[in-house]
Every structure is written in structure tokens, then in C-alpha cells.
Amino acid sequence: MPQISTFDTNPAARAAELREEIRKHDYLYYVEAAPTISDREYDALMQELLDIERSYPALVTPDSPTARVGGEPLKIFPTVQHEIQMLSLANTYTREEITDFDRRVREGLEGEKHQIVSELKYDGVAVSLRYENGILSIGATRGDGVTGDDITQNIRTIRSIPLQVHPTFFEGKEIKNFEVRGEVFMMKDDFVAINTDREERGEKLYANPRNLSAGTLKQLDSREVAKRPLSMMCYYLYSADVRLQSHSDNLKLLREMGFPVSPHVQVCDTLEDIFVFIDSWDQKRESLPFFIDGIVLKVNSMRQQDMLGAIARSPKWAIAYKFEAAKAQTLLKDISFQVGRTGVVTPVAELQPVFLAGSTVSRATLHNGDYIAGLDIRIGDTVIVEKGGDVIPKVSGYVAEARPADAAQFTFPTICPCEHHTPLHRPDGEANYYCDHAECPWQIRRKLTHFSSRDAMDIEGLGEKVVDQLVELKLLFTIADIYELHTHRDELLALDRWGEKSVDNLLAAIELSKQKPFARVLFSIGIRFVGEGGAKILARAFGSVDGLASATVEQLTAVPEIGGRIAGSVVEFFNDETEMAILNRLRAAGLRCELSDNEQQSISKVLEGKTFVITGELEQMSRREAGEAIERHGGKVSGSVSKKTSYVVVGTSPGSKFDKARELGVTILNEEEFLIMVAG
Ligand code: IVH
């Protein structure tokens, strides 16, 4: 890394130098997975470049790595016409169908010899990247295959995608203008981390990495996209500059150009090679750090691909083989229960450990009492456990013939599994049971860790382990006790592995948390159903704890986005004497219990100028609530689709508006994508 900055003397040269340096490190980190500098050093390079570009705006280039942090939010995604239609693949599920495919290929090629390239089928979202003179000019979604959305700003935030490629030659000719296609997806670990955070906050979990990736790519604010760790694998190259020969050469070229390309590719000469490839990945797929949902088979020669052509929207030269969701049978030994921070009691299947697609499963989710009753699952049953595109295994049924004669129908417990044996209750219209005991130790721990977590009060040093330790020692009982820990300094110092420094750091972090804005406090205190977004809305609408405490259900539901469920829970919370005592102690400790003047003036304009049409039934909210959410962010709701419509939100059983939207090329959002958009 250059040590002396030339920023002052020659900013243009220094900017170029920094870009080169950052590009190199992006490639080493995101494509090679072999970084050579620390995150801190990398951040320093990026900061220096940002500073130069801020001082000399004329020096900003479209391929500058500073584009990675995102730009101004868009009002709408322009549509782009694909130069070559983006086809999709026909699916197959059996060896016979693959054999048929191979036969059709042979017939189509009039008996010519052919090779098939086998590669992984990434479970994500297809995108197209266009480069002009080696610089990324357009990133687009597949859309209907003919036109897609221009999501260039979002694509630029994905670090493994080069914004500029170095000159690359094929058979002596430079490839300057070209198109690359591939799949954008999220690593399992990154997905789990995002969901763990959401769970801590009591927010709804994303179903799987694919939906989250799709929702993220459709965000209009690319700065939000930049915060999400998306990855890409490229599997297609087209350029009119050169005469490309084979798919396997293209993959090699893509790799040379600096694109991320899967290392798990095999050129197969026989059907047997293909079957071996498929079987081995069916076995190994669980050990991959990302989801694949099958194998893609492609004729290798580009000339032969052209000879074969396409029917309807699928090429005749390629096919997908889809894996079955991995399933296993095992004994359901027991059903246990977990109590979350809001008191929700979740049933968990305790299984005879069984090896399923790469790992041993001994527990699986049973969701709630209705799920168990619906499937009539009983302790002692041999159950079916499934691992699909979702991270957590689930019990999906039982084997009728194997049911023991004495297996009794399962009844959900009426008492909390904690030491207080509190009667559980199930609110009207809900599938979940709750424990309401304020001293339930399960809840206490969850409440404390939620309170101190990063997106809540962000108290560094008060993680799960420390919370457990302090609860055990009876130093922490409620969240208000956190602010009295300073009176127990000596006891803290006496703890194993705690020194002056760590105790002082913790106490300083606690003190610092008192600066957190009111909305954070409201989110952190753990009102059931009030997530981060809900807390912001309530804080803005009612201004203070006192304002909120005196609000009625009617006043609460009059706020767009606040439904009956949240309103009921807020009223219940503020009527609870124990909660109020805790809240008063927090207030006395100096936590912010009202909006600052500055905050009072700002309101969301994220969707300003955008028109939405909603069609079909939504699962999470009524259409009215969805409409209110849009208006709350400054958007408008309309009853009919036109060219001016920005988005059509599509639920189950959509009407003709869905077809109209497709016809007009209006951006279509599913419910999850929509929720992500209005959550921010
Ligand atoms: S090739 C005409 N290769 O699967 C060929 N697609 O079901 C088009 N996908 O839309 C795609 N991994 O989103 C191809 N190695 C791979 C793939 C892949 C995942 C996705 C892609 C495509 C869908 C087709």
C-alpha cells in the first residue's frame, strides 16, 4: 500500500491509484476469498477516495469503487430491454428425463458428438450485467425475459461484481462490449445472521435467502442494498466482439476477467459422467455455504447451441435437474417448548438424531399448536423431517403405519415450562400461546439480551453470556437493573475473568446508551409486536412515553400502519403495573422518553412520488393496512394499473391487474419484497 498520500499535490493521480488498490482488494476479498489487508486498512483507503471525490466532484467516475456504498434513492426503476432474451430452463426430476434430453440433443444435432457442461443451480435471482468499453453500464433483473428492471445502482453495491474489467483478449481480439449473466444470492451464514438479529427484535423472519435477495435487489435505496451481503456467481457470457466457441471457454474467460465463477463445473462426455456429478452434489450440497436447488446441464459448443435453438421460453440446449427436498424419517421422542422474549411459547420436535443432507438433525420446528394439530403429529410417531430451501428443518408429517397403538393426540400445554408454572393464554385470532409472568427466567434473559442488542440500546459487552452470568448472580432481574449495575462495581470486579478495564468499559457502554433516541428505547423495552419500524412510527405519532401511555386503541389504530394487534398490545403493556414500574425506573435513570425537537420535524418520504396497486390477498396485513403503510411513507395507492404505476404488489390469487402489470412491464413485488420496502 502506498504510504505517502499524493492527495494534496495530485488528487486525480491519487484517486486513480486508490481505485486500482481498492479494486485489487475487492477482488482478493470477494472473489478469491484471500484478503491481504485488514478491514480497517481497506476502510481507510475507501475513506480517502471518498474524501477526494467529495472535494473534487469532477473526478468521480461511474466505475469508482465508491459506488459500492450506494447512491441517492431512486423514485422508480427504469425498465430495460434485454438485447438477447433471458430464457429460463425446463425442469427435470428423473434420470429418464435427462436421458430424454440427451437424446433430443443428439437428434437435433443429427448425430454429431456433443459435450454437456454440468454446473450447480444457484438458488437466487437471475441478473444481467452489460459492460461498455469494459465498464459496467447496466445491471438488470430478468423481468419477463424481454424487459427487466434497471437495478444498476443496486448491482454496483455487490462487491464481487467488477465495476470495470481489465483488457481481456480472445483469439487476439479484445472483448470490450459484452453481457454477463448470473445468479445473485445470499450465503447461508449471512442470511442466518440477519434473521437472528430480527428474531432478537421480535420481527418477522425471512423465509429463505432467495426471497431476501430478491427483495433486496428491488430496494429503491441502494444504500440499504449496500448493507446487505449479496453474492454473485456468473454463468453466461456473450459478446459480439469475438467468436466465442464453447461454454466452458466462456467460463474460463469470465474468471480471467475477474468475475466470480463457480469452481464446481464439469465438462461431461457421457450420461454416466452427468449422473455421477448429480449424485455427488445431491450428497454434498448441504455442506456448501449457499443453497443450490439442482444442477444445470448445458450443451458445451456455442455452434451446437445455435443449431438447437429454443422453444417457447426455454432453450433446447440446456435443462435443469431439480433436487428433491431432503427428507428423512425418525422417531419423535418428545415435544419441548421455548419461551421467547415476548413470552411466546414455541413447540420444538425432539428427535431421535437422524442424518439428513449433510448434518445430524435432532430438533426441528413445529411452529405452533395449530400446526401440530393440523398434521395430527403425536409423540412416539415416526415423523418425516424435511430440509428444503429454508435453513431450519421442519417436521412435515408422520408415517401412519408406524404409529404406536397408544400414541395419544397431542394437547398444547396450559402451563409455562418455567419454574413459575404460569397459565398460558392464547389471544383471540392468534396461533400462539403466551406466558405472561414478568419473572419467567426464560423471558428475562431474552428481554435483557434484546434490550442490549446492537439495533436496540447497543450496549457493548452485555451479550448473552454476560447476561446469563449476571442473571445467575441475581444482579440483573429486569432491564431497569442494568442502570444500577454501577452500584455493584465491587461485585462485578470480583467475578471470574473480569478486570477493572472490562467492568469500566461495560459501565461506560451502559452510560452511553442513555443517549439513544426515544424510538430505540420504545423498541428495546420489548412491547409485543412492536419491532424497530413499529417503534419509530409510534414514537413519531405520539411523541413521548406519556403520550403513548394515555393512547386508546382507537387513537392507536388511527395511525397508518398500526393495526389492532399492535394497538392492543401497546395498551396492555402500559396497563401493566410491573412494566410501568420498570419504565419509570428507566426514565429516572435518564433514558430518553420523548422525541427530540429535531426528530419531531422529520417524516418519511421514502416512497414519495410512487404509485402502488395491490392485487390478490396478502398474508401479513390487510390491503387497507398495506395501503396505509404506503401512504405513511409518502406513496400513493391506486385502483388500476397504468404505465405510470410504479409497483404492483401481488398477493395470492391476484386478479387481472397482475396480467396488466406484466403486459406494461410494471415492477411486480411479492408480499415479502413489499414488506422489506415499507419496513425501512
Ligand atoms: S443458465 C438459458 N445456469 O435458474 C439458460 N441458470 O430455472 C439460463 N440458475 O433463470 C440460465 N444457476 O436464475 C443457468 N448455473 C446456472 C444457474 C442458473 C441458477 C437459475 C437462473 C435461471 C433459472 C432457470
Side-chain angles (χ1 to χ4, degrees):
M1 196 190 354
Q3 294 300 310
I4 304 161
S5 166
T6 50
F7 177 6
D8 298 331
T9 50
N10 189 344
R14 179 62 184 154
E17 199 173 74
L18 283 164
R19 280 183 196 132
E20 202 45 49
E21 191 74 13
I22 293 170
R23 261 175 218 135
K24 184 179 86 190
H25 292 302
D26 274 346
Y27 177 79
L28 287 171
Y29 188 102
Y30 292 100
V31 182
E32 296 283 320
T36 55
I37 57 169
S38 69
D39 289 358
R40 188 186 278 256
E41 286 167 312
Y42 178 90
D43 290 345
L45 294 174
M46 188 67 104
Q47 193 54 51
E48 191 185 343
L49 182 56
L50 278 164
D51 288 344
I52 298 179
E53 291 184 356
R54 208 166 288 138
S55 309
Y56 302 92
L59 292 181
V60 179
T61 58
D63 62 335
S64 173
T66 51
R68 304 284 199 200
V69 295
E72 284 300 306
L74 299 175
K75 292 230 183 309
I76 188 174
F77 293 122
T79 46
V80 274
Q81 188 95 15
H82 294 300
E83 280 177 5
I84 300 167
Q85 193 179 354
M86 280 184 88
L87 300 168
S88 66
L89 298 172
N91 289 328
T92 60
Y93 302 89
T94 61
R95 284 179 178 230
E96 290 70 48
E97 286 174 291
I98 293 174
T99 312
D100 277 351
F101 163 71
D102 190 61
R103 186 184 37 78
R104 286 196 306 274
V105 167
R106 213 170 333 109
E107 284 167 8
L109 297 175
E110 290 159 9
E112 264 187 31
K113 268 186 94 154
H114 65 274
Q115 289 179 316
I116 300 279
V117 181
S118 303
E119 49 192 63
L120 307 185
K121 185 169 185 314
Y122 290 84
D123 195 8
V125 186
V127 300
S128 144
L129 315 173
R130 256 189 253 168
Y131 287 76
E132 280 164 31
N133 278 320
I135 291 174
L136 175 67
S137 62
I138 296 175
T141 60
R142 178 172 178 278
D144 61 4
V146 179
T147 50
D149 285 333
D150 180 341
I151 52 162
T152 313
Q153 283 215 83
N154 292 348
I155 288 292
R156 286 200 178 111
T157 68
I158 301 175
R159 308 265 172 157
S160 55
I161 300 177
L163 300 176
Q164 175 223 59
V165 294
H166 49 80
T168 308
F169 295 84
F170 182 70
E171 296 183 339
K173 287 209 183 109
E174 189 176 350
I175 310 176
K176 281 179 151 181
N177 301 304
F178 57 91
E179 184 183 345
V180 175
R181 290 178 187 170
E183 200 84 348
V184 169
F185 59 94
M186 194 177 277
M187 293 287 182
K188 289 179 191 168
D189 279 356
D190 290 328
F191 174 77
V192 170
I194 289 174
N195 256 356
T196 309
D197 261 16
R198 289 180 74 84
E199 192 173 20
E200 288 277 305
R201 287 183 253 139
E203 290 181 8
K204 194 181 168 276
L205 303 187
Y206 296 116
N208 54 49
R210 179 175 15 84
N211 289 6
L212 179 55
S213 307
T216 304
L217 283 181
K218 285 199 181 165
Q219 289 265 0
L220 287 160
D221 189 346
S222 51
R223 289 169 302 199
E224 292 303 314
V225 184
K227 291 184 201 158
R228 293 263 170 80
L230 294 174
S231 305
M232 182 166 180
M233 278 296 171
C234 300
Y235 49 65
Y236 171 97
L237 169 69
Y238 175 79
S239 172
D241 297 345
V242 288
R243 278 184 63 86
L244 296 166
Q245 304 290 333
S246 70
H247 178 62
S248 52
D249 278 355
N250 293 356
L251 295 181
K252 239 185 263 159
L253 269 175
L254 281 171
R255 228 173 261 135
E256 245 174 68
M257 290 163 121
F259 288 93
V261 177
S262 172
H264 312 300
V265 176
Q266 194 185 319
V267 182
C268 300
D269 288 308
T270 65
L271 269 174
E272 198 43 42
D273 291 349
I274 296 174
F275 294 145
V276 170
F277 186 86
I278 288 179
D279 289 344
S280 89
W281 280 108
D282 200 359
Q283 299 281 319
K284 287 187 291 191
R285 65 185 154 126
E286 281 299 318
S287 59
L288 287 168
F290 44 79
F291 281 112
I292 58 172
D293 58 344
I295 297 294
V296 180
L297 307 174
K298 300 172 184 169
V299 169
N300 196 16
S301 149
M302 304 307 284
R303 183 186 57 79
Q304 292 184 338
Q305 286 188 6
D306 290 343
M307 263 175 89
L308 290 162
I311 24 164
R313 294 160 86 180
S314 309
K316 291 204 236 172
W317 48 265
I319 205 151
Y321 171 82
K322 299 269 276 193
F323 291 134
E324 255 195 75
K327 280 184 194 165
Q329 294 184 0
T330 190
L331 176 71
L332 176 62
K333 293 194 299 186
D334 199 2
I335 295 178
S336 65
F337 299 90
Q338 280 180 345
V339 187
R341 114 184 118 78
T342 54
V344 59
V345 179
T346 312
V348 180
E350 300 291 345
L351 306 165
Q352 180 76 43
V354 60
F355 192 73
L356 175 59
S359 65
T360 303
V361 177
S362 51
R363 308 182 88 202
T365 180
L366 283 166
H367 302 292
N368 55 48
D370 285 354
Y371 185 80
I372 302 175
L375 293 174
D376 185 24
I377 287 168
R378 305 179 184 190
I379 294 170
D381 269 344
T382 297
V383 291
I384 297 154
V385 194
E386 260 186 43
K387 255 191 205 172
D390 302 342
V391 175
I392 305 162
K394 68 173 181 191
V395 171
S396 62
Y398 68 95
V399 182
E401 310 83 69
R403 169 164 287 173
D406 60 347
Q409 203 166 22
F410 181 74
T411 44
F412 209 84
T414 50
I415 306 273
C416 180
C418 81
E419 65 209 36
H420 298 287
H421 306 301
T422 319
L424 298 179
H425 86 278
R426 178 180 178 162
D428 283 348
E430 266 204 51
N432 289 324
Y433 283 87
Y434 291 88
C435 166
D436 284 334
H437 202 296
E439 291 170 17
C440 172
W442 301 49
Q443 285 181 58
I444 290 174
R445 285 192 172 87
R446 287 287 194 115
K447 273 194 175 149
L448 286 162
T449 44
H450 163 71
F451 186 85
S452 62
S453 67
R454 208 178 58 230
D455 292 321
M457 298 304 275
D458 193 16
I459 304 176
E460 215 183 313
L462 196 56
E464 225 167 277
K465 287 217 178 81
V466 176
V467 164
D468 278 352
Q469 204 178 6
L470 300 182
V471 169
E472 196 87 352
L473 289 163
K474 306 224 179 299
L475 285 177
L476 286 185
F477 199 63
T478 73
I479 50 176
D481 299 330
I482 294 172
Y483 295 92
E484 274 157 34
L485 275 181
H486 64 277
T487 63
H488 298 284
R489 195 165 178 276
D490 293 342
E491 285 149 277
L492 291 173
L493 279 173
L495 293 178
D496 238 16
R497 276 179 283 137
W498 280 71
E500 290 261 346
K501 196 155 174 233
S502 44
V503 170
D504 287 342
N505 282 347
L506 175 63
L507 294 177
I510 293 172
E511 195 55 32
L512 194 67
S513 72
K514 294 181 182 172
Q515 309 295 324
K516 291 276 177 275
F518 171 46
R520 285 272 198 127
V521 176
L522 207 50
F523 166 56
S524 308
I525 56 179
I527 306 173
R528 191 179 295 167
F529 306 130
V530 177
E532 211 179 344
K536 279 187 195 153
I537 293 157
L538 290 171
R540 275 195 299 245
F542 295 92
S544 67
V545 159
D546 295 335
L548 196 57
S550 59
T552 61
V553 167
E554 292 70 34
Q555 286 167 329
L556 285 157
T557 47
V559 178
E561 272 189 317
I562 302 298
R565 210 163 70 127
I566 297 182
S569 159
V570 169
V571 168
E572 198 181 319
F573 184 91
F574 286 100
N575 278 332
D576 185 321
E577 279 175 25
T578 319
E579 299 288 10
M580 285 315 279
I582 293 172
L583 200 49
N584 285 331
R585 283 174 62 204
L586 291 176
R587 191 202 300 249
L591 268 67
R592 297 204 169 161
C593 289
E594 56 192 30
L595 288 180
S596 68
D597 293 346
N598 258 354
E599 286 172 329
Q600 251 157 1
Q601 283 152 18
S602 63
I603 49 155
S604 170
K605 291 188 182 156
V606 191
L607 300 180
E608 199 172 59
K610 281 164 211 101
T611 311
F612 286 72
V613 174
I614 306 167
T615 174
E617 246 175 76
L618 303 180
E619 267 176 33
Q620 299 296 310
M621 50 170 82
S622 66
R623 298 241 288 258
R624 186 185 65 88
E625 284 167 338
E628 285 168 353
I630 292 163
E631 282 158 7
R632 178 77 208 142
H633 290 287
K636 285 204 188 76
V637 184
S638 157
S640 59
V641 182
S642 75
K643 270 199 173 145
K644 290 202 185 123
T645 310
S646 323
Y647 292 105
V648 173
V649 181
V650 179
T652 46
S653 324
S656 60
K657 291 172 193 166
F658 180 37
D659 301 325
K660 183 87 187 279
R662 285 207 291 205
E663 210 173 281
L664 295 175
V666 175
T667 304
I668 289 164
L669 299 175
N670 65 26
E671 183 168 356
E672 184 143 18
E673 291 164 346
F674 170 69
L675 288 174
I676 293 170
M677 196 172 268
V678 292

